[in-house]
């Protein structure tokens, strides 16, 4: 590991405390029974509590360090995501027409379902920035399930950016960290189907067509007003 790698690790660990909207347990860290309240311990079987308590201190410390690093990575990546989206918006604003090849060369929009690439113009990108900002704000104020398909896709773009940083700096994270995070942040999400060329754009719960991306998924969901305009 180089000096630069040490610097990014220290930076991410410092950022971990800013991710107040998600507890470390939600990011995959098994709690130690000694750190639980009596009510929390009642949620586990005695054998599960014994297994948690039996984890060697060294393994426990590594798990804590990896989870803190992941928390910092998600926080850091949220800022990078918005920076890159503004860069994409600047590029699109200078184009007379948007083509799939333009989107393929973009920083973030290239992570969206390619079958709709011709629709990712400047107006769409402005709305997507607003939704992405709302999603990333949840990392600090308290996580809430994405309220529209565009918000689900913003989460996927955030995790894509986190993976890029992980690969560049070869961060010491659990191999299955993305699957764990997706299970928490994208529980019951339908947006993955949009990446399949052969997928129907309808499901039993509603449509997945492009015109529905900024509409609330259910009556109680909230989407920023600008994105719904």
């Amino acid at each position: 590991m180089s000096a630069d790698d040490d610097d990014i690790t220290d930076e991410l660990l410092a950022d971990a405390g800013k991710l107040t909207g998600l507890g470390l347990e939600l990011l995959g860290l098994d709690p130690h029974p000694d750190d639980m309240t009596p009510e929390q311990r009642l949620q586990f079987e005695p054998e599960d509590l014994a297994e948690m308590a039996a984890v060697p201190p060294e393994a426990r410390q590594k798990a804590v360090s990896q989870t803190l690093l992941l928390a910092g990575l998600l926080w850091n990546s949220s800022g990078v995501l918005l920076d890159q989206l503004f860069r994409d918006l600047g590029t699109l604003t200078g184009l007379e027409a948007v083509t799939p090849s333009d989107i393929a060369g973009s920083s973030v929009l290239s992570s969206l379902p390619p079958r709709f690439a011709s629709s990712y113009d400047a107006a769409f990108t402005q709305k997507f920035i607003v939704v992405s900002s709302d999603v990333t704000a949840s990392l600090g104020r308290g996580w809430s399930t994405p309220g529209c398909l565009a918000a689900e896709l913003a989460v996927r773009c955030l995790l894509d950016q986190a993976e890029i940083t992980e690969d560049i700096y070869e961060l010491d994270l659990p191999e299955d960290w993305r699957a764990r995070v997706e299970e928490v942040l994208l529980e019951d999400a339908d947006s993955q189907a949009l990446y399949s060329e052969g997928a129907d754009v309808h499901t039993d719960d509603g449509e997945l067509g492009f015109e529905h991306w900024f509409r609330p998924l259910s009556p109680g969901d909230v989407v920023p007003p600008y994105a719904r305009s």
Side-chain angles (χ1 to χ4, degrees):
M1 179 177 286
S2 68
D4 288 341
D5 293 337
D6 288 335
D7 290 343
I8 191 65
T9 297
D10 290 342
E11 179 182 342
L12 297 181
L13 290 174
D15 283 340
K18 302 173 184 177
L19 194 91
T20 54
L22 288 171
L24 296 184
E25 287 79 12
L26 289 177
L27 296 180
L29 180 66
D30 289 331
H32 193 285
D34 291 345
D35 299 329
M36 299 181 190
T37 65
E39 292 76 16
Q40 289 173 327
R41 285 195 290 271
L42 289 175
Q43 300 175 24
F44 297 90
E45 296 294 333
E47 55 269 25
D48 293 331
L49 291 173
E51 184 177 345
M52 293 176 186
V55 175
E58 298 80 6
R60 171 71 178 173
Q61 184 56 50
K62 180 175 181 180
V64 171
S65 296
Q66 287 183 323
T67 309
L68 287 172
L69 187 61
L70 175 56
L73 174 63
L74 293 177
W75 183 267
N76 178 274
S77 298
S78 67
V80 175
L81 172 68
L82 290 170
D83 278 341
Q84 300 283 29
L85 276 170
F86 280 116
R87 179 179 299 177
D88 286 348
L89 176 61
T91 299
L92 295 179
T93 302
L95 299 178
E96 293 184 4
V98 177
T99 66
S101 61
D102 294 324
I103 300 304
S106 66
S107 298
V108 175
L109 300 178
S110 57
S111 291
L112 295 175
R115 63 195 288 192
F116 302 99
S118 59
S119 298
Y120 303 152
D121 57 11
F124 165 84
T125 305
Q126 289 175 177
K127 292 184 177 183
F128 194 67
I129 287 173
V130 171
V131 167
S132 298
S133 179
D134 187 56
V135 165
T136 57
S138 292
L139 296 176
R141 68 172 177 242
W143 184 255
S144 56
T145 303
C148 62
L149 287 170
E152 290 184 5
L153 293 170
V155 173
R156 298 189 187 281
C157 289
L158 170 64
L159 298 182
D160 286 344
Q161 181 57 58
E163 283 193 322
I164 291 172
T165 302
E166 177 196 21
D167 290 341
I168 291 174
Y169 295 101
E170 299 181 351
L171 300 177
D172 181 19
L173 295 174
E175 292 185 3
D176 62 344
W177 73 263
R178 175 156 186 164
R180 290 186 182 185
V181 173
E182 283 191 1
E183 187 175 350
V184 173
L185 303 189
L186 293 172
E187 184 179 8
D188 299 325
D190 292 325
S191 52
Q192 182 60 43
L194 295 170
Y195 290 88
S196 174
E197 287 292 337
D200 192 348
V201 294
H202 296 76
T203 69
D204 293 336
D205 297 324
E207 296 183 357
L208 296 177
F210 182 77
E211 67 274 14
H212 298 279
W213 285 14
F214 294 101
R215 296 180 185 177
L217 291 170
S218 64
D221 290 329
V222 176
V223 178
Y226 182 88
R228 295 193 63 183
S229 62

